[in-house]
Amino acid sequence: MQHHHAHIASCLADNGVAGPVIGVAFDGLGYGEDATLWGGEFLVADVAGFTRAGRLATVPMPGGAAAIRQPWRMAAAHLDAAYEGDVPADLAVVRRNADRWEAVVALARRGVSAPLTSSMGRLFDAVATIVGGRDAITYEGQAAIELEQWADQTEDGAYGCRLVGREPFVVPCAELVRAVVEDLRAGTATAVIAARFHNAIAHVVADGCAHLRDAGGPATVALSGGVFQNLLLLGRATALLEARGFRVLTHHRVPPNDGGISLGQAAVAAARDRLR
């Protein structure tokens, strides 16, 4: 069964709900049905099944698993995509990794050892590296966790981000990455940039769910995946969704990360068995 569907099913089981819901599954990555690595997903789902209704735009992961341990590689991939190869040379992340930059970008462009991913977790990693200089990590999610810790919780500004297309819609990463870089080059404080990025992602969640509800989707949203261990993002996304009239389901008894996956898998298996 699909990894991100199991995340949403885990949230449904945690809340005693069968669905249908709009499931927002944001995590590091999981194998997708189109042979890419998913991780920034909007699903219309119940416990038994799902449809992929929206996603983050894909970028390469140069070096595969190495891009998890060295998030500057994700920064290189996102920056190269955002600036179509003309990345500002004065960025600190480019200067710090100048001896390997072109080789890693070449991997990304050729798709050699560079699987495509729609991962929200890897986008958080990239922004953390661009803004704060975390080029390598010693534990899973370290860069993203630090980005949350840096954020000024009094900042209510947000970078703009549109949805593109319909079925499934796509959330462009390039717009967000360029907005981060413009603020950084203008001398904006790290705490403000981090907060504006978090606020932008919260608006992406709310806008994506509203788009799907307007198209006939459910009015209940389930938030799951390891990215929603980020309490700043979780709180702001929940507030925006509730302000738009959504019922919001979050985890209470099992964690939103892969620690809760087995519950979701069991729930999906039981639901499909009942249907048979």
Side-chain angles (χ1 to χ4, degrees):
M1 56 198 70
Q2 204 281 323
H3 181 89
H4 297 92
H5 179 220
H7 269 306
I8 300 306
S10 173
C11 186
L12 294 178
D14 198 353
N15 288 274
V17 174
V21 297
I22 298 170
V24 184
F26 288 172
D27 66 357
L29 53 84
Y31 195 72
E33 293 188 331
D34 61 353
T36 67
L37 299 174
W38 292 7
E41 312 306 314
F42 289 80
L43 312 178
V44 175
D46 56 21
V47 179
F50 76 97
T51 299
R52 192 187 196 195
R55 62 172 176 83
L56 205 64
T58 57
V59 295
M61 281 180 61
I68 301 173
R69 299 187 299 271
Q70 299 174 13
W72 74 268
R73 292 170 177 262
M74 289 308 308
H78 274 288
L79 286 166
D80 188 61
Y83 286 94
E84 298 180 342
D86 191 21
V87 178
D90 60 341
L91 290 178
V93 65
V94 178
R95 296 198 306 270
R96 289 194 308 269
N97 298 284
D99 59 332
R100 298 174 290 175
W101 190 269
E102 290 303 324
V104 165
V105 168
L107 280 180
R109 291 177 183 172
R110 293 199 303 266
V112 176
S113 297
L116 291 175
T117 183
S118 58
S119 169
M120 182 62 76
R122 301 286 81 85
L123 176 61
F124 266 80
D125 285 352
V127 171
T129 301
I130 293 167
V131 174
R134 171 58 68 183
D135 289 340
I137 63 170
T138 57
Y139 60 88
E140 177 70 21
Q142 182 178 2
I145 290 167
E146 290 175 347
L147 187 65
E148 178 189 8
Q149 293 171 338
W150 297 330
D152 178 355
Q153 304 215 9
T154 66
E155 171 64 35
D156 58 5
Y159 301 124
C161 189
R162 60 199 170 91
L163 309 180
V164 177
R166 296 184 64 84
E167 296 178 3
F169 67 80
V170 176
V171 180
C173 301
E175 295 179 4
L176 287 170
V177 171
R178 287 195 299 268
V180 166
V181 170
E182 287 169 11
D183 258 0
L184 184 64
R185 297 180 80 195
T188 305
T190 297
V192 173
I193 298 173
R196 289 174 178 172
F197 175 74
H198 278 80
N199 294 341
I201 301 303
H203 280 282
V204 164
V205 172
D207 291 347
C209 291
H211 172 81
L212 295 177
R213 183 179 60 184
D214 290 346
T220 300
V221 175
L223 305 178
S224 192
V227 171
F228 285 112
Q229 291 177 288
N230 182 320
L231 295 182
L232 177 59
L233 175 62
L234 178 66
R236 298 203 170 174
T238 298
L240 289 172
L241 288 164
E242 290 178 342
R244 297 193 187 194
F246 283 99
R247 178 190 180 195
V248 182
L249 305 179
T250 60
H251 286 265
H252 302 283
R253 294 173 292 175
V254 296
N257 66 6
D258 286 359
I261 271 283
S262 59
L263 174 63
Q265 291 169 332
V268 173
R272 291 178 178 175
D273 187 59
R274 286 193 298 272
L275 288 175
R276 284 194 294 269

